[in-house]
Amino acid sequence: MRKIIVCTFLTLDGVMQAPGGPDEDAESGFEHGGWQKAASDDEVGAGIAGWYQDSDAMLLGRKTYEIFASYWPDADPANPFTERMNGMHKYVASRTLTSVEWQNSTLLEGDVVDAVRRLKASDGGSINVVGSGDLAQTLMRHDLVDEYRLTIHPVIIGTGKRLFADGAVPTSLEPVSVSTTKGGTVLAIYRPNGKPTYDSY
């Protein structure tokens, strides 16, 4: 069984929207695009590289796919991520796209939940869900996420799309690995571990 791993960059207040640039995602009037670079350090890149060691595919929503497909095919070949991102298989969930042109990309057919269940049951390594906030919400609601790999950066934005938004399914998380970089970014890996338990002091 393949694992579905949600890999996401978050602000300290949980915002995942448009970490990479001002024009990445201005939906709902978001004005803080590009918040990640100034809040990162060299250790963050090394940590993210580790996220891909046991993965051979990505699962992307339409918006993230289009952002990546417009950048990575012509990215600097000296960047160690360029070959990796172009070479990995990309599965794309979209209700509007009719084709995908980026190399090694496949457009999922039919209901996305059923399609992801088939992917999980197929042969291969882990599958990283990168960005793709709407898709991540769907996967969480249907108990399809096996692991979260998060960078939590020392910046507060106050508005924007959140990974764990209002209405998120209550879930207990088991820490797999948690560390902090010299710049204060938390690199955290968690696995869902059933429902939360409640008690009082």
Side-chain angles (χ1 to χ4, degrees):
M1 183 72 73
R2 302 173 82 176
K3 292 196 300 185
I4 300 295
I5 301 173
V6 169
C7 301
T8 304
F9 312 136
L10 301 177
T11 64
L12 190 60
D13 55 335
V15 175
M16 64 179 297
Q17 187 169 354
D23 301 321
E24 188 175 80
D25 180 3
E27 187 175 331
S28 301
F30 188 67
E31 299 178 345
H32 305 288
W35 54 262
Q36 185 197 22
K37 185 173 181 179
S40 292
D41 55 57
D42 294 343
E43 293 175 74
V44 173
I48 294 169
W51 290 357
Y52 289 84
Q53 290 180 352
D54 60 353
S55 301
D56 61 10
M58 290 184 287
L59 174 59
L60 306 172
R62 177 187 61 80
K63 290 180 184 177
T64 302
Y65 169 79
E66 290 180 336
I67 291 168
F68 283 9
S70 69
Y71 176 79
W72 285 110
D74 299 315
D76 182 357
N79 181 339
F81 276 100
T82 299
E83 182 178 0
R84 183 71 165 146
M85 297 295 278
N86 287 318
M88 292 181 78
H89 202 97
K90 279 75 70 172
Y91 298 103
V92 184
S94 173
R95 292 184 291 269
T96 56
L97 293 177
T98 57
S99 63
V100 286
E101 306 303 325
W102 186 17
Q103 68 184 77
N104 301 321
S105 295
T106 300
L107 187 63
L108 296 179
E109 297 181 355
D111 179 75
V112 66
V113 172
D114 291 339
V116 172
R117 285 179 176 143
R118 289 193 295 270
L119 277 179
K120 283 173 65 75
S122 65
D123 294 330
S126 298
I127 302 171
N128 289 355
V129 181
V130 185
S132 308
D134 292 341
L135 174 60
Q137 301 299 317
T138 298
L139 300 176
M140 289 189 288
R141 285 195 300 271
H142 290 86
D143 196 27
L144 290 171
V145 177
D146 297 290
E147 194 167 281
Y148 295 95
R149 298 184 181 180
L150 311 175
T151 62
I152 305 167
H153 298 267
V155 59
I156 295 172
I157 296 298
T159 62
K161 300 174 186 174
R162 288 171 166 80
L163 177 62
F164 303 111
D166 290 347
V169 177
T171 305
S172 176
L173 298 175
E174 172 191 359
V176 177
S177 173
V178 181
S179 62
T180 305
T181 72
K182 61 188 177 185
T185 294
V186 177
L187 305 176
I189 301 177
Y190 299 103
R191 290 182 187 140
N193 189 28
K195 299 295 183 183
T197 57
Y198 305 95
D199 204 342
S200 59
Y201 288 97

mmCIF file of all heavy atoms in Angstrom, residues 6-19 35-36 39-40 44 48 51 131 133 137 148-157 161-165 173 184-188 190:
data_model
loop_
_atom_site.group_PDB
_atom_site.id
_atom_site.type_symbol
_atom_site.label_atom_id
_atom_site.label_comp_id
_atom_site.label_asym_id
_atom_site.label_seq_id
_atom_site.Cartn_x
_atom_site.Cartn_y
_atom_site.Cartn_z
ATOM 1 N N VAL A 6 1.095 14.493 2.864
ATOM 2 C CA VAL A 6 0.842 15.914 2.635
ATOM 3 C C VAL A 6 2.080 16.698 3.051
ATOM 4 O O VAL A 6 2.477 16.682 4.218
ATOM 5 C CB VAL A 6 -0.402 16.384 3.417
ATOM 6 C CG1 VAL A 6 -0.523 17.905 3.394
ATOM 7 C CG2 VAL A 6 -1.666 15.751 2.841
ATOM 8 N N CYS A 7 2.710 17.378 2.083
ATOM 9 C CA CYS A 7 3.921 18.164 2.316
ATOM 10 C C CYS A 7 3.563 19.634 2.136
ATOM 11 O O CYS A 7 3.226 20.061 1.025
ATOM 12 C CB CYS A 7 5.004 17.780 1.318
ATOM 13 S SG CYS A 7 5.481 16.040 1.361
ATOM 14 N N THR A 8 3.643 20.409 3.210
ATOM 15 C CA THR A 8 3.115 21.771 3.168
ATOM 16 C C THR A 8 3.986 22.731 3.955
ATOM 17 O O THR A 8 4.488 22.397 5.025
ATOM 18 C CB THR A 8 1.674 21.806 3.734
ATOM 19 O OG1 THR A 8 0.860 20.885 3.010
ATOM 20 C CG2 THR A 8 1.066 23.177 3.601
ATOM 21 N N PHE A 9 4.117 23.935 3.424
ATOM 22 C CA PHE A 9 4.772 25.040 4.118
ATOM 23 C C PHE A 9 3.699 25.844 4.834
ATOM 24 O O PHE A 9 2.706 26.252 4.216
ATOM 25 C CB PHE A 9 5.508 25.946 3.135
ATOM 26 C CG PHE A 9 6.373 25.207 2.149
ATOM 27 C CD1 PHE A 9 6.371 25.559 0.807
ATOM 28 C CD2 PHE A 9 7.196 24.169 2.558
ATOM 29 C CE1 PHE A 9 7.166 24.895 -0.106
ATOM 30 C CE2 PHE A 9 7.999 23.496 1.655
ATOM 31 C CZ PHE A 9 7.991 23.861 0.311
ATOM 32 N N LEU A 10 3.893 26.108 6.118
ATOM 33 C CA LEU A 10 2.896 26.826 6.915
ATOM 34 C C LEU A 10 3.534 28.006 7.644
ATOM 35 O O LEU A 10 4.682 27.940 8.069
ATOM 36 C CB LEU A 10 2.281 25.899 7.973
ATOM 37 C CG LEU A 10 1.566 24.639 7.508
ATOM 38 C CD1 LEU A 10 1.103 23.830 8.720
ATOM 39 C CD2 LEU A 10 0.380 24.987 6.630
ATOM 40 N N THR A 11 2.743 29.068 7.819
ATOM 41 C CA THR A 11 3.127 30.112 8.756
ATOM 42 C C THR A 11 2.821 29.616 10.164
ATOM 43 O O THR A 11 2.150 28.594 10.348
ATOM 44 C CB THR A 11 2.334 31.402 8.500
ATOM 45 O OG1 THR A 11 0.947 31.154 8.757
ATOM 46 C CG2 THR A 11 2.503 31.883 7.064
ATOM 47 N N LEU A 12 3.273 30.362 11.156
ATOM 48 C CA LEU A 12 3.022 29.960 12.541
ATOM 49 C C LEU A 12 1.527 29.925 12.850
ATOM 50 O O LEU A 12 1.082 29.125 13.687
ATOM 51 C CB LEU A 12 3.737 30.913 13.505
ATOM 52 C CG LEU A 12 3.772 30.495 14.980
ATOM 53 C CD1 LEU A 12 4.470 29.154 15.152
ATOM 54 C CD2 LEU A 12 4.474 31.565 15.808
ATOM 55 N N ASP A 13 0.743 30.755 12.167
ATOM 56 C CA ASP A 13 -0.704 30.728 12.377
ATOM 57 C C ASP A 13 -1.420 29.840 11.353
ATOM 58 O O ASP A 13 -2.622 29.934 11.167
ATOM 59 C CB ASP A 13 -1.310 32.136 12.403
ATOM 60 C CG ASP A 13 -0.997 32.966 11.176
ATOM 61 O OD1 ASP A 13 0.029 32.707 10.508
ATOM 62 O OD2 ASP A 13 -1.760 33.893 10.862
ATOM 63 N N GLY A 14 -0.668 28.950 10.698
ATOM 64 C CA GLY A 14 -1.274 27.883 9.907
ATOM 65 C C GLY A 14 -1.621 28.201 8.481
ATOM 66 O O GLY A 14 -2.266 27.393 7.809
ATOM 67 N N VAL A 15 -1.197 29.358 7.953
ATOM 68 C CA VAL A 15 -1.532 29.726 6.572
ATOM 69 C C VAL A 15 -0.598 29.001 5.608
ATOM 70 O O VAL A 15 0.620 28.970 5.805
ATOM 71 C CB VAL A 15 -1.428 31.254 6.373
ATOM 72 C CG1 VAL A 15 -1.650 31.626 4.902
ATOM 73 C CG2 VAL A 15 -2.443 31.964 7.257
ATOM 74 N N MET A 16 -1.178 28.427 4.553
ATOM 75 C CA MET A 16 -0.401 27.724 3.538
ATOM 76 C C MET A 16 -0.453 28.424 2.185
ATOM 77 O O MET A 16 0.205 28.008 1.236
ATOM 78 C CB MET A 16 -0.916 26.295 3.377
ATOM 79 C CG MET A 16 -2.341 26.191 2.851
ATOM 80 S SD MET A 16 -2.906 24.481 2.651
ATOM 81 C CE MET A 16 -1.785 23.858 1.418
ATOM 82 N N GLN A 17 -1.188 29.493 2.066
ATOM 83 C CA GLN A 17 -1.445 30.131 0.776
ATOM 84 C C GLN A 17 -0.225 30.881 0.254
ATOM 85 O O GLN A 17 0.408 31.653 0.969
ATOM 86 C CB GLN A 17 -2.629 31.103 0.900
ATOM 87 C CG GLN A 17 -3.103 31.694 -0.421
ATOM 88 C CD GLN A 17 -4.425 32.435 -0.274
ATOM 89 O OE1 GLN A 17 -5.045 32.408 0.782
ATOM 90 N NE2 GLN A 17 -4.859 33.077 -1.335
ATOM 91 N N ALA A 18 0.097 30.661 -1.022
ATOM 92 C CA ALA A 18 1.081 31.431 -1.780
ATOM 93 C C ALA A 18 2.411 31.641 -1.067
ATOM 94 O O ALA A 18 2.870 32.773 -0.936
ATOM 95 C CB ALA A 18 0.474 32.787 -2.171
ATOM 96 N N PRO A 19 3.087 30.580 -0.637
ATOM 97 C CA PRO A 19 4.389 30.782 0.003
ATOM 98 C C PRO A 19 5.474 31.239 -0.969
ATOM 99 O O PRO A 19 6.429 31.891 -0.573
ATOM 100 C CB PRO A 19 4.717 29.405 0.576
ATOM 101 C CG PRO A 19 3.992 28.450 -0.314
ATOM 102 C CD PRO A 19 2.716 29.144 -0.685
ATOM 103 N N TRP A 35 5.714 34.788 1.282
ATOM 104 C CA TRP A 35 6.119 34.934 2.687
ATOM 105 C C TRP A 35 7.203 33.937 3.120
ATOM 106 O O TRP A 35 7.874 34.139 4.128
ATOM 107 C CB TRP A 35 4.908 34.783 3.618
ATOM 108 C CG TRP A 35 4.119 33.522 3.415
ATOM 109 C CD1 TRP A 35 2.969 33.391 2.690
ATOM 110 C CD2 TRP A 35 4.410 32.218 3.938
ATOM 111 N NE1 TRP A 35 2.535 32.084 2.724
ATOM 112 C CE2 TRP A 35 3.399 31.350 3.483
ATOM 113 C CE3 TRP A 35 5.434 31.713 4.749
ATOM 114 C CZ2 TRP A 35 3.375 29.992 3.808
ATOM 115 C CZ3 TRP A 35 5.414 30.362 5.072
ATOM 116 C CH2 TRP A 35 4.392 29.518 4.604
ATOM 117 N N GLN A 36 7.409 32.854 2.352
ATOM 118 C CA GLN A 36 8.275 31.783 2.853
ATOM 119 C C GLN A 36 9.762 32.089 2.779
ATOM 120 O O GLN A 36 10.508 31.825 3.731
ATOM 121 C CB GLN A 36 8.010 30.479 2.105
ATOM 122 C CG GLN A 36 8.815 29.316 2.677
ATOM 123 C CD GLN A 36 8.898 28.130 1.752
ATOM 124 O OE1 GLN A 36 8.717 28.256 0.554
ATOM 125 N NE2 GLN A 36 9.175 26.975 2.315
ATOM 126 N N ALA A 39 11.473 33.872 5.516
ATOM 127 C CA ALA A 39 11.320 33.198 6.810
ATOM 128 C C ALA A 39 11.993 31.830 6.825
ATOM 129 O O ALA A 39 11.718 31.010 7.692
ATOM 130 C CB ALA A 39 9.827 33.051 7.134
ATOM 131 N N SER A 40 12.881 31.570 5.842
ATOM 132 C CA SER A 40 13.542 30.267 5.727
ATOM 133 C C SER A 40 15.043 30.400 5.947
ATOM 134 O O SER A 40 15.577 31.504 6.039
ATOM 135 C CB SER A 40 13.273 29.659 4.354
ATOM 136 O OG SER A 40 11.918 29.297 4.206
ATOM 137 N N VAL A 44 16.199 24.473 5.963
ATOM 138 C CA VAL A 44 14.852 24.160 5.466
ATOM 139 C C VAL A 44 14.955 23.395 4.148
ATOM 140 O O VAL A 44 14.283 22.383 3.944
ATOM 141 C CB VAL A 44 14.014 25.440 5.297
ATOM 142 C CG1 VAL A 44 12.688 25.121 4.611
ATOM 143 C CG2 VAL A 44 13.758 26.093 6.649
ATOM 144 N N ILE A 48 13.491 19.671 3.311
ATOM 145 C CA ILE A 48 12.521 19.404 2.241
ATOM 146 C C ILE A 48 13.057 18.343 1.286
ATOM 147 O O ILE A 48 12.307 17.467 0.833
ATOM 148 C CB ILE A 48 12.194 20.711 1.494
ATOM 149 C CG1 ILE A 48 11.449 21.685 2.421
ATOM 150 C CG2 ILE A 48 11.340 20.426 0.253
ATOM 151 C CD1 ILE A 48 11.309 23.079 1.869
ATOM 152 N N TRP A 51 12.217 14.960 2.236
ATOM 153 C CA TRP A 51 10.824 14.540 2.055
ATOM 154 C C TRP A 51 10.647 13.664 0.816
ATOM 155 O O TRP A 51 9.680 12.919 0.705
ATOM 156 C CB TRP A 51 9.918 15.748 1.903
ATOM 157 C CG TRP A 51 9.720 16.574 3.130
ATOM 158 C CD1 TRP A 51 10.198 16.341 4.374
ATOM 159 C CD2 TRP A 51 8.958 17.790 3.217
ATOM 160 N NE1 TRP A 51 9.797 17.327 5.234
ATOM 161 C CE2 TRP A 51 9.035 18.226 4.545
ATOM 162 C CE3 TRP A 51 8.234 18.539 2.292
ATOM 163 C CZ2 TRP A 51 8.399 19.387 4.984
ATOM 164 C CZ3 TRP A 51 7.610 19.692 2.726
ATOM 165 C CH2 TRP A 51 7.689 20.116 4.061
ATOM 166 N N GLY A 131 1.523 21.472 -1.689
ATOM 167 C CA GLY A 131 0.569 22.578 -1.822
ATOM 168 C C GLY A 131 -0.836 22.016 -1.939
ATOM 169 O O GLY A 131 -1.270 21.225 -1.102
ATOM 170 N N GLY A 133 -4.078 22.944 -1.616
ATOM 171 C CA GLY A 133 -4.870 23.028 -0.393
ATOM 172 C C GLY A 133 -6.249 22.414 -0.499
ATOM 173 O O GLY A 133 -6.688 21.701 0.407
ATOM 174 N N GLN A 137 -7.684 19.100 1.582
ATOM 175 C CA GLN A 137 -8.895 19.079 2.398
ATOM 176 C C GLN A 137 -9.755 17.861 2.065
ATOM 177 O O GLN A 137 -10.284 17.185 2.953
ATOM 178 C CB GLN A 137 -9.710 20.359 2.173
ATOM 179 C CG GLN A 137 -8.984 21.649 2.498
ATOM 180 C CD GLN A 137 -8.552 21.743 3.943
ATOM 181 O OE1 GLN A 137 -9.299 21.402 4.845
ATOM 182 N NE2 GLN A 137 -7.331 22.202 4.154
ATOM 183 N N TYR A 148 1.853 13.696 7.510
ATOM 184 C CA TYR A 148 2.019 15.130 7.251
ATOM 185 C C TYR A 148 3.501 15.473 7.420
ATOM 186 O O TYR A 148 4.117 15.120 8.431
ATOM 187 C CB TYR A 148 1.204 15.964 8.236
ATOM 188 C CG TYR A 148 -0.287 15.786 8.114
ATOM 189 C CD1 TYR A 148 -0.952 14.867 8.926
ATOM 190 C CD2 TYR A 148 -1.027 16.526 7.199
ATOM 191 C CE1 TYR A 148 -2.328 14.695 8.823
ATOM 192 C CE2 TYR A 148 -2.398 16.367 7.089
ATOM 193 C CZ TYR A 148 -3.044 15.441 7.907
ATOM 194 O OH TYR A 148 -4.397 15.272 7.791
ATOM 195 N N ARG A 149 4.058 16.173 6.443
ATOM 196 C CA ARG A 149 5.417 16.690 6.547
ATOM 197 C C ARG A 149 5.316 18.203 6.392
ATOM 198 O O ARG A 149 4.997 18.701 5.306
ATOM 199 C CB ARG A 149 6.331 16.059 5.490
ATOM 200 C CG ARG A 149 6.434 14.545 5.680
ATOM 201 C CD ARG A 149 7.397 13.893 4.718
ATOM 202 N NE ARG A 149 7.432 12.441 4.951
ATOM 203 C CZ ARG A 149 8.176 11.589 4.282
ATOM 204 N NH1 ARG A 149 8.983 12.026 3.328
ATOM 205 N NH2 ARG A 149 8.135 10.289 4.544
ATOM 206 N N LEU A 150 5.587 18.914 7.473
ATOM 207 C CA LEU A 150 5.289 20.340 7.539
ATOM 208 C C LEU A 150 6.538 21.144 7.873
ATOM 209 O O LEU A 150 7.335 20.744 8.725
ATOM 210 C CB LEU A 150 4.241 20.603 8.629
ATOM 211 C CG LEU A 150 2.989 19.719 8.613
ATOM 212 C CD1 LEU A 150 2.122 20.025 9.830
ATOM 213 C CD2 LEU A 150 2.205 19.916 7.322
ATOM 214 N N THR A 151 6.697 22.279 7.201
ATOM 215 C CA THR A 151 7.643 23.292 7.662
ATOM 216 C C THR A 151 6.798 24.421 8.242
ATOM 217 O O THR A 151 5.930 24.969 7.555
ATOM 218 C CB THR A 151 8.546 23.831 6.534
ATOM 219 O OG1 THR A 151 7.750 24.465 5.532
ATOM 220 C CG2 THR A 151 9.343 22.702 5.897
ATOM 221 N N ILE A 152 7.040 24.747 9.488
ATOM 222 C CA ILE A 152 6.252 25.771 10.185
ATOM 223 C C ILE A 152 7.185 26.950 10.445
ATOM 224 O O ILE A 152 8.107 26.864 11.257
ATOM 225 C CB ILE A 152 5.670 25.212 11.489
ATOM 226 C CG1 ILE A 152 4.850 23.945 11.191
ATOM 227 C CG2 ILE A 152 4.790 26.271 12.177
ATOM 228 C CD1 ILE A 152 4.487 23.139 12.421
ATOM 229 N N HIS A 153 6.961 28.044 9.723
ATOM 230 C CA HIS A 153 7.903 29.148 9.678
ATOM 231 C C HIS A 153 7.558 30.234 10.701
ATOM 232 O O HIS A 153 6.377 30.464 11.001
ATOM 233 C CB HIS A 153 7.920 29.740 8.271
ATOM 234 C CG HIS A 153 8.368 28.773 7.228
ATOM 235 N ND1 HIS A 153 9.670 28.667 6.807
ATOM 236 C CD2 HIS A 153 7.681 27.815 6.530
ATOM 237 C CE1 HIS A 153 9.768 27.717 5.882
ATOM 238 N NE2 HIS A 153 8.580 27.191 5.708
ATOM 239 N N PRO A 154 8.578 30.943 11.197
ATOM 240 C CA PRO A 154 8.362 31.956 12.232
ATOM 241 C C PRO A 154 7.840 33.274 11.653
ATOM 242 O O PRO A 154 8.525 34.302 11.668
ATOM 243 C CB PRO A 154 9.750 32.111 12.859
ATOM 244 C CG PRO A 154 10.698 31.821 11.744
ATOM 245 C CD PRO A 154 10.027 30.747 10.937
ATOM 246 N N VAL A 155 6.634 33.227 11.139
ATOM 247 C CA VAL A 155 5.976 34.420 10.611
ATOM 248 C C VAL A 155 4.473 34.245 10.805
ATOM 249 O O VAL A 155 3.950 33.133 10.685
ATOM 250 C CB VAL A 155 6.328 34.643 9.120
ATOM 251 C CG1 VAL A 155 5.907 33.455 8.260
ATOM 252 C CG2 VAL A 155 5.705 35.923 8.595
ATOM 253 N N ILE A 156 3.794 35.321 11.135
ATOM 254 C CA ILE A 156 2.336 35.324 11.300
ATOM 255 C C ILE A 156 1.740 36.203 10.210
ATOM 256 O O ILE A 156 2.159 37.352 10.026
ATOM 257 C CB ILE A 156 1.945 35.845 12.698
ATOM 258 C CG1 ILE A 156 2.444 34.875 13.776
ATOM 259 C CG2 ILE A 156 0.431 36.035 12.811
ATOM 260 C CD1 ILE A 156 2.282 35.392 15.187
ATOM 261 N N ILE A 157 0.774 35.664 9.477
ATOM 262 C CA ILE A 157 0.171 36.375 8.351
ATOM 263 C C ILE A 157 -1.198 36.941 8.715
ATOM 264 O O ILE A 157 -1.562 38.040 8.329
ATOM 265 C CB ILE A 157 0.050 35.437 7.134
ATOM 266 C CG1 ILE A 157 1.442 35.006 6.650
ATOM 267 C CG2 ILE A 157 -0.714 36.099 6.003
ATOM 268 C CD1 ILE A 157 2.335 36.126 6.187
ATOM 269 N N LYS A 161 -5.579 30.948 3.281
ATOM 270 C CA LYS A 161 -6.009 29.557 3.358
ATOM 271 C C LYS A 161 -5.153 28.798 4.358
ATOM 272 O O LYS A 161 -3.928 28.932 4.362
ATOM 273 C CB LYS A 161 -5.890 28.893 1.985
ATOM 274 C CG LYS A 161 -6.711 29.542 0.892
ATOM 275 C CD LYS A 161 -6.400 28.909 -0.448
ATOM 276 C CE LYS A 161 -7.092 29.636 -1.590
ATOM 277 N NZ LYS A 161 -6.670 29.098 -2.919
ATOM 278 N N ARG A 162 -5.801 27.983 5.165
ATOM 279 C CA ARG A 162 -5.100 27.197 6.174
ATOM 280 C C ARG A 162 -5.240 25.701 5.875
ATOM 281 O O ARG A 162 -6.291 25.258 5.409
ATOM 282 C CB ARG A 162 -5.642 27.513 7.572
ATOM 283 C CG ARG A 162 -5.221 28.885 8.075
ATOM 284 C CD ARG A 162 -5.934 29.275 9.363
ATOM 285 N NE ARG A 162 -5.295 30.422 10.008
ATOM 286 C CZ ARG A 162 -5.471 31.685 9.650
ATOM 287 N NH1 ARG A 162 -6.287 31.971 8.638
ATOM 288 N NH2 ARG A 162 -4.853 32.664 10.281
ATOM 289 N N LEU A 163 -4.193 24.964 6.171
ATOM 290 C CA LEU A 163 -4.260 23.517 5.980
ATOM 291 C C LEU A 163 -5.310 22.921 6.906
ATOM 292 O O LEU A 163 -6.144 22.126 6.480
ATOM 293 C CB LEU A 163 -2.895 22.881 6.239
ATOM 294 C CG LEU A 163 -2.832 21.356 6.157
ATOM 295 C CD1 LEU A 163 -3.205 20.872 4.757
ATOM 296 C CD2 LEU A 163 -1.446 20.852 6.538
ATOM 297 N N PHE A 164 -5.254 23.281 8.182
ATOM 298 C CA PHE A 164 -6.228 22.781 9.146
ATOM 299 C C PHE A 164 -7.218 23.913 9.426
ATOM 300 O O PHE A 164 -7.103 24.636 10.405
ATOM 301 C CB PHE A 164 -5.523 22.308 10.415
ATOM 302 C CG PHE A 164 -4.487 21.245 10.149
ATOM 303 C CD1 PHE A 164 -3.131 21.514 10.311
ATOM 304 C CD2 PHE A 164 -4.852 19.987 9.708
ATOM 305 C CE1 PHE A 164 -2.169 20.548 10.067
ATOM 306 C CE2 PHE A 164 -3.898 19.003 9.445
ATOM 307 C CZ PHE A 164 -2.554 19.288 9.622
ATOM 308 N N ALA A 165 -8.165 24.049 8.536
ATOM 309 C CA ALA A 165 -9.129 25.149 8.603
ATOM 310 C C ALA A 165 -10.313 24.767 9.476
ATOM 311 O O ALA A 165 -10.426 23.631 9.957
ATOM 312 C CB ALA A 165 -9.599 25.489 7.190
ATOM 313 N N LEU A 173 -2.463 13.158 16.319
ATOM 314 C CA LEU A 173 -1.275 12.987 15.500
ATOM 315 C C LEU A 173 -0.136 12.393 16.324
ATOM 316 O O LEU A 173 0.123 12.824 17.447
ATOM 317 C CB LEU A 173 -0.836 14.320 14.911
ATOM 318 C CG LEU A 173 -1.831 15.012 13.972
ATOM 319 C CD1 LEU A 173 -1.304 16.378 13.565
ATOM 320 C CD2 LEU A 173 -2.111 14.163 12.744
ATOM 321 N N GLY A 184 14.653 29.140 13.205
ATOM 322 C CA GLY A 184 13.401 29.029 13.937
ATOM 323 C C GLY A 184 12.274 28.328 13.225
ATOM 324 O O GLY A 184 11.148 28.298 13.720
ATOM 325 N N THR A 185 12.548 27.733 12.060
ATOM 326 C CA THR A 185 11.525 26.961 11.361
ATOM 327 C C THR A 185 11.440 25.562 11.968
ATOM 328 O O THR A 185 12.461 24.906 12.186
ATOM 329 C CB THR A 185 11.838 26.854 9.864
ATOM 330 O OG1 THR A 185 11.762 28.154 9.276
ATOM 331 C CG2 THR A 185 10.853 25.930 9.150
ATOM 332 N N VAL A 186 10.236 25.113 12.228
ATOM 333 C CA VAL A 186 10.005 23.768 12.751
ATOM 334 C C VAL A 186 9.792 22.817 11.576
ATOM 335 O O VAL A 186 8.944 23.070 10.708
ATOM 336 C CB VAL A 186 8.782 23.730 13.688
ATOM 337 C CG1 VAL A 186 8.509 22.305 14.165
ATOM 338 C CG2 VAL A 186 9.001 24.652 14.882
ATOM 339 N N LEU A 187 10.573 21.752 11.518
ATOM 340 C CA LEU A 187 10.397 20.682 10.531
ATOM 341 C C LEU A 187 9.725 19.525 11.253
ATOM 342 O O LEU A 187 10.331 18.911 12.129
ATOM 343 C CB LEU A 187 11.741 20.248 9.960
ATOM 344 C CG LEU A 187 12.616 21.345 9.333
ATOM 345 C CD1 LEU A 187 13.952 20.761 8.898
ATOM 346 C CD2 LEU A 187 11.909 21.989 8.163
ATOM 347 N N ALA A 188 8.484 19.255 10.900
ATOM 348 C CA ALA A 188 7.695 18.290 11.671
ATOM 349 C C ALA A 188 7.072 17.244 10.762
ATOM 350 O O ALA A 188 6.526 17.568 9.704
ATOM 351 C CB ALA A 188 6.599 19.024 12.446
ATOM 352 N N TYR A 190 4.300 14.108 11.127
ATOM 353 C CA TYR A 190 3.281 13.504 11.980
ATOM 354 C C TYR A 190 2.502 12.461 11.190
ATOM 355 O O TYR A 190 2.336 12.589 9.969
ATOM 356 C CB TYR A 190 2.275 14.557 12.478
ATOM 357 C CG TYR A 190 2.847 15.663 13.318
ATOM 358 C CD1 TYR A 190 3.066 16.925 12.780
ATOM 359 C CD2 TYR A 190 3.145 15.465 14.663
ATOM 360 C CE1 TYR A 190 3.576 17.958 13.549
ATOM 361 C CE2 TYR A 190 3.653 16.493 15.445
ATOM 362 C CZ TYR A 190 3.866 17.738 14.885
ATOM 363 O OH TYR A 190 4.365 18.754 15.652
#
